[in-house]
C-alpha cells in the first residue's frame, strides 16, 4: 500500500464531505426561497445579497442558543442521538460514483471513494441503521411526544425499506451486479435505467421521500399532533444536527436516484463531443450535479405542494400498494429477462 | 500487519460490548451494546474477506432484529432498574448452560486447522458471486427448505398479529 493512494483517498473523502455539508447548508436556503416562491412571498432576503448569508446566520444562531437538556433525560443517549444521525447520513456518500475517473500523469484516479463489489447492499445497510439516531434521541428525551415521533419514524422507515429494496432488486436483476460503479458505467450515454424501469423508479422515489422523513411523509415531526416529534426536547446545535441530517439525506437520496436510474455521470451524446478523458469526466460530474439539483428541487416542490398523509394512510400506502407493486415489478422484470435470454 | 491491529481492536470492542450487555442496568443500554457487538463481528467478517456476509449481518441483525428489540423495550418502557429479580437457581443454571456451550465451542475449534483464517484472500467464497453459485448449485434443496421455513414463520407472525381470530 503506497502512501499516495491513501492521501488521494483521504483527499477525495474530505472533498466529498465538504461538498455534502455545503450543499446541505445551502439547501436550507434554497428550500426557504422555494417555500417563499410557492407561497407568493419573498423568503429570506436580509442577510447578504438575496439572503446568501442566511445559512451562516442560522448556524451562528443555533450555536448561540441555550443548550437545554431535560432533567430526566438519559444524558449519554441524548447526545448520541443527533451525533449518530449525522454520522449515518454522511456514510452513504462513500460508495456513490461522483464521476468516472481522472488521469493525472498516467495514473487513473477514480472519482468514487470505495468501489466495493456490494455497493448496493452497503447502501441498504446504512438505510436500515438510519433509524437508530432518531429512535435513540426520541427515547432519551423522556417525553411522550418525542417517543411517539421516534416510533413513527422507525415504523415508517422499516415499512418503506421493503418496497425500496424490491425496487432496487430489479436494477440488480437487469445489470447483474451489486457494484454501484458498475451499474452507473452500464448506463453509458443515454442508456439510462429509468427507460427500462419506470415503475421501479417511481416506487424508489416514493420510498426515498418516506425514508428521508420529508413531506408528505413527515409524520415523525408532525407539529399539529406531536409538537415537534422526535426532536421536541432538542435545542441549539443538537437540533441543528437533526435538521441538517435531513438535508444531507435529501442530497444523498437525490444522488442515489440519479445514479441508479438516471445514469449518474453519464449524459447523452457524450461520445460525440470529442473531448479528452479528463474534460469528459469533469463534464460528467457536472451533469451528475445537475441531476442531483433537479431531484433536490423535486423534494422541495413536493414538500410545499402536497399536504401531509394521515398515519393509517401512510401505512396502507406502504404495505398494500407499494410492496405489491414492487413484487409485480420484480416478476415482470424476471419474465422479460427470461424471455430475452431464450430468444 | 494492519489487519492484525484491526483484529485486536474489533475483538476487544466485541468482548467489551458483550460484557456490557450483561452488566448494564438499563435494558435499552443492553440492546445498544448488543448492536455494537454485532458491528464488531461484521468487521471480523470483512477481515475474513466475507463482505457479503458482513453487510447482510448488519442488515439483518443491526437493521432489523435489533430495531425491533429497541422498539419493544421502548414501548414497554422497561427502564426501571432491577425490575427482573432472578432466583439464584436460575442464575446458577444459566451459568452452567453458558459454560457448557463455551466448552463445546472451544472443543470444536481447537482441533480445526482453518486455512481461511490464516489466509483470507485465498478463499473467495465470501464474495456474492461464489456464494450464490454454491448456494444455488450444491445446496439448492436446503436453501429452498430454508425459504419455506421462513415463509411459514412469516405467516405465523401475521396470524399471531391478528386480533380477532376464531
Amino acid at each position: 500500500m503506497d502512501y499516495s493512494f491513501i492521501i488521494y483517498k483521504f483527499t477525495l473523502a474530505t472533498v466529498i464531505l465538504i461538498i455534502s455539508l455545503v450543499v446541505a447548508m445551502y439547501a436550507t436556503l434554497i428550500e426557504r426561497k422555494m417555500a417563499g416562491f410557492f407561497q407568493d412571498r419573498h423568503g429570506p432576503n436580509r442577510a447578504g445579497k438575496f439572503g446568501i448569508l442566511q445559512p451562516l446566520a442560522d448556524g451562528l444562531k443555533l450555536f448561540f442558543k441555550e443548550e437545554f437538556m431535560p432533567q430526566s433525560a438519559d444524558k449519554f443517549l441524548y447526545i448520541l442521538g443527533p451525533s449518530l444521525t449525522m454520522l449515518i447520513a454522511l456514510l452513504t456518500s462513500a460508495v456513490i460514483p461522483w464521476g468516472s475517473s481522472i488521469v493525472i500523469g498516467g495514473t487513473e484516479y477514480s472519482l468514487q471513494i470505495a468501489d466495493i463489489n456490494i455497493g448496493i447492499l452497503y447502501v441498504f445497510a446504512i438505510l436500515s441503521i438510519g433509524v437508530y439516531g432518531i429512535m435513540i434521541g426520541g427515547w432519551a428525551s423522556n417525553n411522550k411526544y418525542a417517543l411517539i415521533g421516534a416510533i413513527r419514524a422507525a415504523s415508517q422507515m422499516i415499512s418503506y425499506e421493503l418496497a425500496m429494496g424490491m425496487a432496487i432488486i430489479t436494477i440488480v436483476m437487469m445489470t447483474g451486479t451489486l457494484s454501484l460503479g458498475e451499474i452507473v458505467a452500464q448506463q453509458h450515454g443515454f442508456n439510462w435505467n429509468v427507460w427500462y424501469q419506470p415503475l421501479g423508479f417511481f416506487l424508489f422515489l416514493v420510498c426515498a421521500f418516506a425514508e428521508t422523513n420529508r413531506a408528505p411523509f413527515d409524520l415523525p415531526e408532525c407539529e399539529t399532533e406531536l409538537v415537534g416529534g422526535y426532536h421536541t426536547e432538542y435545542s441549539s446545535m443538537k437540533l441543528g444536527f437533526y435538521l441538517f441530517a435531513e438535508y444531507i439525506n435529501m442530497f444523498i437520496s437525490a444522488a442515489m436516484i440519479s445514479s441508479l436510474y438516471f445514469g449518474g455521470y453519464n449524459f447523452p451524446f457524450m461520445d460525440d463531443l470529442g473531448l479528452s478523458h479528463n474534460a469528459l469526466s469533469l463534464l460528467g460530474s457536472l451533469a451528475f450535479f445537475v441531476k442531483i439539483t433537479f431531484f433536490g428541487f423535486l423534494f422541495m416542490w413536493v414538500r410545499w405542494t402536497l399536504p401531509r398523509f394521515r398515519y393509517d394512510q401512510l401505512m396502507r400506502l406502504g404495505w398494500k400498494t407499494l410492496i405489491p407493486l414492487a413484487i409485480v415489478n420484480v416478476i415482470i422484470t424476471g419474465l422479460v429477462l427470461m424471455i430475452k435470454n431464450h430468444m | 500487519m494492519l489487519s492484525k491491529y484491526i483484529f485486536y481492536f474489533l475483538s476487544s470492542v466485541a468482548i467489551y460490548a458483550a460484557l456490557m450487555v450483561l452488566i448494564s442496568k438499563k435494558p435499552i443500554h443492553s440492546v445498544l451494546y448488543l448492536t455494537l457487538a454485532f458491528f464488531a463481528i461484521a468487521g471480523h467478517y470483512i477481515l475474513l474477506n466475507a463482505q457479503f456476509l458482513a453487510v447482510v449481518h448488519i442488515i439483518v441483525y443491526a437493521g432489523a432484529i435489533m430495531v425491533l428489540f429497541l422498539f419493544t423495550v421502548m414501548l414497554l418502557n422497561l427502564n426501571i432498574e432491577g425490575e427482573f429479580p432472578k432466583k439464584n437457581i436460575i442464575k446458577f443454571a444459566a451459568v452452567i448452560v453458558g459454560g457448557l456451550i463455551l466448552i463445546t465451542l472451544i472443543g470444536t475449534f481447537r482441533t480445526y486447522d482453518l486455512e481461511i483464517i490464516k489466509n483470507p484472500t485465498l478463499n473467495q467464497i465470501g464474495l456474492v458471486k461464489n456464494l450464490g453459485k454454491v448456494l444455488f448449485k450444491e445446496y439448492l434443496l436446503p436453501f429452498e427448505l430454508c425459504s419455506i421455513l421462513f415463509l411459514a414463520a412469516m405467516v405465523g407472525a401475521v396470524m399471531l398479529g391478528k386480533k380477532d381470530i376464531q
Side-chain angles (χ1 to χ4, degrees):
Chain A
M1 192 92 73
D2 56 29
Y3 283 104
S4 67
F5 179 75
I6 294 176
I7 291 170
Y8 143 66
K9 285 290 180 195
F10 187 76
T11 322
L12 188 63
T14 317
V15 167
I16 285 168
L17 179 72
I18 291 169
I19 290 178
S20 319
L21 291 177
V22 170
V23 166
M25 206 167 106
Y26 273 91
T28 60
L29 174 67
I30 296 167
E31 166 117 58
R32 291 173 68 180
K33 279 279 182 199
M34 284 291 160
F37 173 70
F38 283 115
Q39 297 171 348
D40 200 15
R41 54 187 172 84
H42 285 295
N45 61 354
R46 294 301 157 94
K49 200 105 180 128
F50 309 116
I52 202 92
L53 297 174
Q54 188 66 37
L56 293 175
D58 283 343
L60 210 61
K61 186 195 84 170
L62 282 171
F63 269 117
F64 284 110
K65 281 255 182 170
E66 184 193 351
E67 192 88 35
F68 173 77
M69 191 187 285
Q71 210 168 19
S72 52
D74 189 316
K75 300 268 178 310
F76 179 67
L77 293 186
Y78 185 81
I79 297 170
L80 185 69
S83 327
L84 211 57
T85 310
M86 197 69 174
L87 173 75
I88 294 170
L90 288 168
L91 277 177
T92 317
S93 58
V95 291
I96 293 174
W98 299 97
S100 59
S101 62
I102 283 185
V103 180
I104 300 169
T107 345
E108 200 173 357
Y109 292 101
S110 164
L111 286 179
Q112 185 180 12
I113 298 173
D115 187 13
I116 47 180
N117 56 16
I118 41 159
I120 292 266
L121 288 176
Y122 173 86
V123 174
F124 265 136
I126 303 297
L127 262 179
S128 66
I129 59 172
V131 277
Y132 276 100
I134 291 176
M135 277 190 93
I136 290 172
W139 181 83
S141 314
N142 207 354
N143 172 319
K144 290 279 182 291
Y145 291 124
L147 183 65
I148 295 173
I151 283 165
R152 277 187 177 187
S155 43
Q156 174 179 330
M157 283 165 104
I158 292 172
S159 309
Y160 280 77
E161 237 166 58
L162 289 170
M164 192 178 223
M166 297 265 197
I168 300 184
I169 279 176
T170 52
I171 293 278
V172 176
M173 285 163 78
M174 269 174 51
T175 53
T177 174
L178 286 168
S179 146
L180 263 177
E182 180 66 30
I183 288 176
V184 173
Q186 281 186 13
Q187 307 178 50
H188 192 78
F190 211 39
N191 187 27
W192 296 351
N193 281 334
V194 68
W195 312 132
Y196 308 104
Q197 289 291 342
L199 181 61
F201 159 66
F202 180 70
L203 291 170
F204 189 91
L205 187 71
V206 174
C207 295
F209 279 95
E211 289 289 323
T212 45
N213 290 329
R214 295 270 307 179
F217 304 115
D218 57 347
L219 285 128
E221 41 190 305
C222 170
E223 61 279 296
T224 46
E225 295 162 19
L226 295 179
V227 191
Y230 58 88
H231 52 59
T232 303
E233 293 287 1
Y234 280 91
S235 67
S236 179
M237 207 55 202
K238 293 201 202 72
L239 172 69
F241 265 32
Y242 270 129
L243 301 182
F244 208 58
E246 183 185 313
Y247 284 93
I248 296 174
N249 278 330
M250 206 168 96
F251 173 58
I252 299 293
S253 298
M256 279 300 294
I257 296 171
S258 318
S259 49
L260 282 177
Y261 291 96
F262 286 84
Y265 51 75
N266 294 305
F267 54 93
F269 314 114
M270 59 196 288
D271 296 327
D272 308 335
L273 291 175
L275 289 168
S276 70
H277 179 76
N278 282 353
L280 199 64
S281 108
L282 281 179
L283 212 58
S285 295
L286 195 69
F288 189 39
F289 274 93
V290 169
K291 290 170 193 170
I292 294 175
T293 315
F294 173 74
F295 284 106
F297 168 70
L298 190 70
F299 270 87
M300 293 167 189
W301 190 5
V302 169
R303 172 166 176 188
W304 296 102
T305 308
L306 293 181
R308 186 181 288 132
F309 274 77
R310 219 169 51 219
Y311 199 68
D312 59 314
Q313 292 171 331
L314 170 92
M315 282 295 149
R316 202 181 316 135
L317 178 72
W319 287 97
K320 295 190 174 166
T321 312
L322 293 185
I323 292 179
L325 272 178
I327 293 174
V328 168
N329 196 27
V330 170
I331 293 172
I332 293 173
T333 312
L335 281 177
V336 171
L337 282 179
M338 204 175 76
I339 293 166
K340 250 170 97 178
N341 285 346
H342 281 277
M343 281 209 299
Chain B
M1 204 51 212
L2 186 66
S3 62
K4 201 167 149 192
Y5 291 123
I6 296 174
F7 171 79
Y8 284 123
F9 172 71
L10 287 175
S11 303
S12 40
V13 168
I15 291 171
Y16 169 74
L19 282 176
M20 289 307 285
V21 173
L22 298 176
I23 294 170
S24 300
K25 286 275 193 297
K26 291 183 181 171
I28 212 148
H29 287 186
S30 296
V31 172
L32 291 174
Y33 274 117
L34 193 54
T35 319
L36 184 62
F38 283 139
F39 273 99
I41 291 168
H44 278 304
Y45 286 143
I46 292 174
L47 281 185
L48 289 172
N49 206 17
Q51 305 163 359
F52 179 70
L53 199 57
V55 171
V56 168
H57 182 81
I58 288 179
I59 294 175
V60 172
Y61 284 96
I65 295 179
M66 293 321 286
V67 169
L68 284 183
F69 266 48
L70 209 61
F71 227 85
T72 321
V73 174
M74 279 179 182
L75 278 178
L76 297 179
N77 208 9
L78 301 171
N79 205 23
I80 304 133
E81 291 179 14
E83 204 182 297
F84 314 101
K86 290 188 189 73
K87 284 182 188 155
N88 274 339
I89 182 138
I90 295 177
K91 286 183 190 167
F92 201 63
V95 168
I96 290 178
V97 172
L100 283 176
I101 293 174
L102 182 69
I103 291 171
T104 321
L105 283 177
I106 290 174
T108 324
F109 287 115
R110 199 175 54 87
T111 49
Y112 262 109
D113 188 29
L114 285 175
E115 192 58 38
I116 187 165
I117 289 174
K118 287 181 197 148
N119 201 351
T121 43
L122 203 74
N123 197 332
Q124 301 282 327
I125 190 72
L127 305 179
V128 195
K129 213 169 212 163
N130 307 333
L131 198 68
K133 274 185 185 147
V134 172
L135 270 184
F136 285 103
K137 277 189 179 150
E138 287 176 40
Y139 300 100
L140 185 61
L141 186 67
F143 184 74
E144 293 295 330
L145 284 178
C146 274
S147 57
I148 290 172
L149 189 68
F150 207 62
L151 189 67
M154 272 159 68
V155 172
V158 172
M159 287 296 280
L160 286 177
K162 283 215 166 184
K163 266 186 212 150
D164 39 290
I165 209 139
Q166 306 300 315

